[in-house]
Amino acid sequence: MDAPTPLQAHLLKAIQNLANDNQQLRVRARTASQSDTSPEMLRTLDIGERSGEQLETTAVAIGAPKAWIDYARAAGQRGVLWQPGQVMLGSGHVPRHTLIAALSRETHGLQDMAGVHAAYISRGDLGGGPVAEFRRVMGMTWQRLGAVSHALTLSQEERHQVWQRGRQQWSTVVAAQVRDYPDQELVRRWNQVAGMEFPVVAAPVLVLQWAGITNEDSAAQMPISPDRMVELAATALSEHTPDARRLTVTDPGRDHETATAINAAIDAAGLTALPGKSDLAEEAVEPAHPPRELDAGRGL
């Protein structure tokens, strides 16, 4: 048997307690009459379930074995809340090369977002989703990958390995990918990002911040900002598309509905204090109601 690291414990706790709340809500939705099953209940359940998936993906990224994650989820669904000092069965070792390879794939996905953004803006209004939504999702994804990189304490060589795309500059590779997308395909990829529920994207970042990883920690691990990523992608595109335009990425704006949904997801995971929140998260998570206190069963 192994004990999870403190950071892994924070994520496993969130997974287990959120699974418990999701199961309770699922039972309520199943047993309620049709008139009592409100759209808000169903949307909250959908956000809770997909937030749990994002928490699990992030737990894997920082080295929590899948067996531990499966156990935490199953325990929560059985009605068991996380207990302080909970010990997990099996070894906690995950090969480092596995973690670096997974982070590299996710970083390449972030680079692809920058390319889609730059290509979309260069073609004018194609009728896709709101620009602000795309910007916020990309900014929060950047922040999450920075937090994971901090958790893994990447070396300089590992950071280079994560960001590289073969022998070419990453922006050149991305520009070559998106340059010939038909408008319809570009809009589809744009909407795929812009349509992500922001509370779902934000959930793992908030848990990692609650565990002590600050915005400064995340930013120190990322070679360039989201804004600069888009600029580089736009420059690479402009070598063949002279009218490529520039747009900032990270200012998320305020959204009361989003704030309410995130606050509900964090409540469900049993989280209250979020030290070191970034401006990005603080803008998005202005509480719509005071968060409930942790009960004895949810303390870590």
Side-chain angles (χ1 to χ4, degrees):
M1 295 189 296
D2 271 341
T5 67
L7 186 57
Q8 290 171 351
H10 279 292
L11 279 161
L12 291 169
K13 172 186 175 181
I15 290 166
Q16 186 164 329
N17 290 349
L18 185 57
N20 176 266
D21 282 16
N22 287 342
Q23 181 64 19
Q24 292 182 24
L25 188 58
R26 194 177 296 112
V27 171
R28 284 171 51 199
R30 188 164 54 239
T31 58
S33 66
Q34 187 173 1
S35 60
D36 291 336
T37 305
S38 66
E40 290 76 16
M41 178 187 293
L42 295 177
R43 180 172 184 267
T44 299
L45 177 58
D46 180 59
I47 288 176
E49 290 178 338
R50 288 189 289 125
S51 295
E53 292 171 0
Q54 287 295 306
L55 291 170
E56 291 184 19
T57 297
T58 304
V60 169
I62 66 166
K66 189 175 184 303
W68 291 5
I69 296 166
D70 292 342
Y71 175 83
R73 184 197 328 108
Q77 291 171 344
R78 292 194 306 269
V80 179
L81 296 175
W82 178 269
Q83 297 297 319
Q86 188 164 305
V87 176
M88 313 300 287
L89 296 175
S91 170
H93 176 71
V94 177
R96 187 168 182 83
H97 67 83
T98 301
L99 302 177
I100 298 302
L103 180 59
S104 179
R105 288 191 295 271
E106 288 216 76
T107 301
H108 294 173
L110 178 67
Q111 294 167 351
D112 292 342
M113 278 190 202
V116 167
H117 184 88
Y120 180 87
I121 296 304
S122 73
R123 299 190 196 181
D125 184 7
L126 298 178
V131 170
E133 295 302 319
F134 192 103
R135 292 161 61 193
R136 291 195 294 176
V137 169
M138 182 176 174
M140 192 59 77
T141 302
W142 179 90
Q143 195 168 334
R144 176 175 61 84
L145 295 182
V148 170
S149 299
H150 175 81
L152 296 179
T153 59
L154 295 187
S155 67
Q156 189 69 27
E157 176 57 33
E158 287 171 332
R159 191 176 298 112
H160 173 73
Q161 178 183 342
V162 162
W163 279 78
Q164 71 180 0
R165 301 283 285 256
R167 295 182 178 275
Q168 291 182 298
Q169 171 72 13
W170 70 262
S171 56
T172 303
V173 175
V174 168
Q177 290 178 178
V178 304
R179 184 177 293 123
D180 297 326
Y181 282 163
D183 287 352
Q184 183 178 7
E185 175 64 10
L186 184 60
V187 170
R188 185 189 70 80
R189 290 175 181 265
W190 170 274
N191 285 333
Q192 190 174 32
V193 175
M196 292 180 183
E197 288 276 9
F198 189 67
V200 174
V201 180
V205 176
L206 297 177
V207 175
L208 290 169
Q209 289 181 339
W210 180 63
I213 297 179
T214 68
N215 183 51
E216 290 73 21
D217 292 332
S218 299
Q221 293 292 327
M222 303 300 277
I224 51 178
S225 70
D227 299 326
R228 183 59 179 155
M229 292 181 70
V230 174
E231 291 175 359
L232 289 175
T235 298
L237 279 168
S238 69
E239 294 175 0
H240 298 279
T241 311
D243 294 332
R245 301 206 309 251
R246 169 182 173 181
L247 183 70
T248 58
V249 174
T250 53
D251 177 18
R254 293 182 183 270
D255 183 326
H256 179 75
E257 181 182 359
T258 293
T260 304
I262 296 177
N263 195 65
I266 294 305
D267 280 352
L271 312 180
T272 54
L274 296 174
K277 284 191 298 184
S278 69
D279 291 341
L280 181 63
E282 190 169 7
E283 287 288 328
V285 193
E286 183 180 5
H289 55 82
R292 66 174 183 254
E293 295 296 324
L294 292 174
D295 59 38
R298 296 189 177 224
L300 182 63

